Amino acid sequence: IVLLAISCKKPFTPVLNQSDRKFLVIEGIINGNDSTFIRLSRTKKMDTLRTVLAETSAQVTVENNANARFPLTEIRNGIYAAGPLNLDASHQYRLRIKTSDGKEYLSDFVPLKNAPPIDSVGFIAKSSGVQIYVNAHDDVNATRYYRWDFTETWQFHSQYPSGYYSNGDSIKARMVVQQVHNCFASDSSTSVLVASTTKLNKDIVSLAPITIVPASSEKLETKYSILVKQYALTSDAYEFWETLQKNTEKLGSIFDVLPSETQSNYHCVSNAGELVVGYLSAGNISQKRI
């Protein structure tokens, strides 16, 4: 029966009715205690190269419900930034975007929600690798919805040491200060990391998994560092990220949930029916490095 089942399997390539329309994708939060970075890009067909279609030459502005405005500057293609804005927590904030083609996009007003401090970032050594986790809590039980991302940096050695160099005329041995086999690399998180404590009596997150570093990874060869950032979410923002997590990371078997549409709090003012991808949050971020 097993052999029959295997022999009956055939590869299936679905015919995707993909649109050529390039919808606006908005990433980033309004940071209350540090620099704000907003990334604008466009969607594309699934069968194209893994390149980002950056949305350049846009006008991006943070606004509050007291009519104050804080413009952002494009520092790289599709990356818009502003220094610390020192935002007032008594106001609500939104993002206004005007693209180079004249279309205007506006988010809903969102509250400034401050993330509590991270209690600790720790690790557990396993045979499969090193599991990184985070602990946090809120004494006043006001957070309840958490999100994290991280940046890893590590030192490793090149496979072949370079003990000699050429000065153009001859080969000479490298001095200690000239050694170039020490290398450094960095990477950022790509998974959606969220947690909710709404079903708990106290607002405590314990041993929330952040990432696992495989035992065979070069990241563990010499030195490793990870910077974890923590965000406090509203219930609507948590629902957006949880749905995005299910749609991108928890599909593929008959027991997984069906994909569903993620609801955005961005709207196209020029065309109310146009899809916009992303969800705006605002607040102070807490972070910790080990």
Side-chain angles (χ1 to χ4, degrees):
I1 294 176
V2 172
L3 293 176
L4 182 63
I6 295 175
S7 63
C8 289
K9 288 184 178 181
K10 296 180 180 180
F12 171 69
T13 304
V15 178
L16 302 176
N17 183 21
Q18 299 186 62
S19 171
D20 288 329
R21 298 181 65 184
K22 296 178 174 61
F23 299 112
L24 184 64
V25 180
I26 309 171
E27 301 172 82
I29 78 163
I30 299 175
N31 196 334
N33 60 347
D34 205 340
S35 299
T36 293
F37 297 92
I38 302 296
R39 180 179 184 178
L40 303 183
S41 59
R42 293 282 178 174
T43 60
K44 60 180 181 177
K45 289 186 176 181
M46 291 178 61
D47 56 355
T48 54
L49 297 176
R50 294 182 61 185
T51 54
V52 176
L53 302 179
E55 181 68 19
T56 61
S57 303
Q59 300 174 23
V60 182
T61 308
V62 174
E63 301 177 346
N64 69 11
N65 54 358
N67 295 321
R69 297 189 175 188
F70 311 89
L72 275 65
T73 303
E74 187 173 13
I75 58 173
R76 294 193 303 275
N77 285 348
I79 306 295
Y80 301 82
L85 301 176
N86 299 317
L87 303 179
D88 186 347
S90 64
H91 295 301
Q92 292 187 326
Y93 297 86
R94 69 181 180 185
L95 205 63
R96 183 183 296 272
I97 300 168
K98 188 172 183 180
T99 54
S100 57
D101 60 0
K103 286 188 176 181
E104 192 169 21
Y105 301 83
L106 200 62
S107 75
D108 297 333
F109 279 110
V110 296
L112 199 68
K113 200 166 172 61
N114 297 332
I118 297 176
D119 293 333
S120 63
V121 178
F123 64 91
I124 301 174
K126 302 180 179 180
S127 58
S128 59
V130 176
Q131 174 71 63
I132 310 293
Y133 63 84
V134 65
N135 294 317
H137 79 283
D138 185 353
D139 288 328
V140 296
N141 297 331
T143 303
R144 292 298 182 184
Y145 301 101
Y146 297 80
R147 184 173 74 87
W148 300 276
D149 60 31
F150 62 85
T151 302
E152 301 171 291
T153 305
W154 63 93
Q155 179 185 8
F156 64 100
H157 294 147
S158 59
Q159 185 172 359
Y160 300 104
S162 175
Y164 301 89
Y165 72 99
S166 171
N167 65 359
D169 298 322
S170 58
I171 303 298
K172 294 184 176 294
R174 290 187 184 275
M175 301 174 62
V176 175
V177 295
Q178 296 174 319
Q179 294 301 322
V180 292
H181 67 282
N182 282 319
C183 306
F184 292 87
S186 185
D187 198 8
S188 299
S189 54
T190 56
S191 300
V192 177
L193 304 170
V194 292
S196 171
T197 63
T198 54
K199 296 182 179 180
L200 303 177
N201 290 331
K202 294 185 178 181
D203 197 352
I204 299 176
V205 176
S206 178
L207 301 179
I210 296 298
T211 187
I212 185 166
V213 185
S216 59
S217 173
E218 69 178 17
K219 297 177 182 179
L220 302 178
E221 180 182 323
T222 306
K223 293 181 180 180
Y224 174 84
S225 174
I226 182 169
L227 175 66
V228 180
K229 294 183 178 180
Q230 180 169 274
Y231 307 85
L233 303 177
T234 62
S235 59
D236 292 339
Y238 175 80
E239 183 179 350
F240 167 85
W241 286 104
E242 186 181 40
T243 302
L244 183 63
Q245 183 188 59
K246 292 177 180 178
N247 286 345
T248 58
E249 301 173 20
K250 296 184 177 181
L251 297 176
S253 78
I254 60 174
F255 301 106
D256 290 324
V257 296
L258 293 174
S260 58
E261 183 178 352
T262 54
Q263 297 297 321
S264 174
N265 61 351
Y266 286 102
H267 314 280
C268 180
V269 179
S270 310
N271 179 9
E274 181 177 328
L275 175 68
V276 185
V277 182
Y279 200 97
L280 179 69
S281 295
N284 294 340
I285 302 171
S286 62
Q287 60 185 29
K288 186 176 287 289
R289 178 187 295 277
I290 63 167

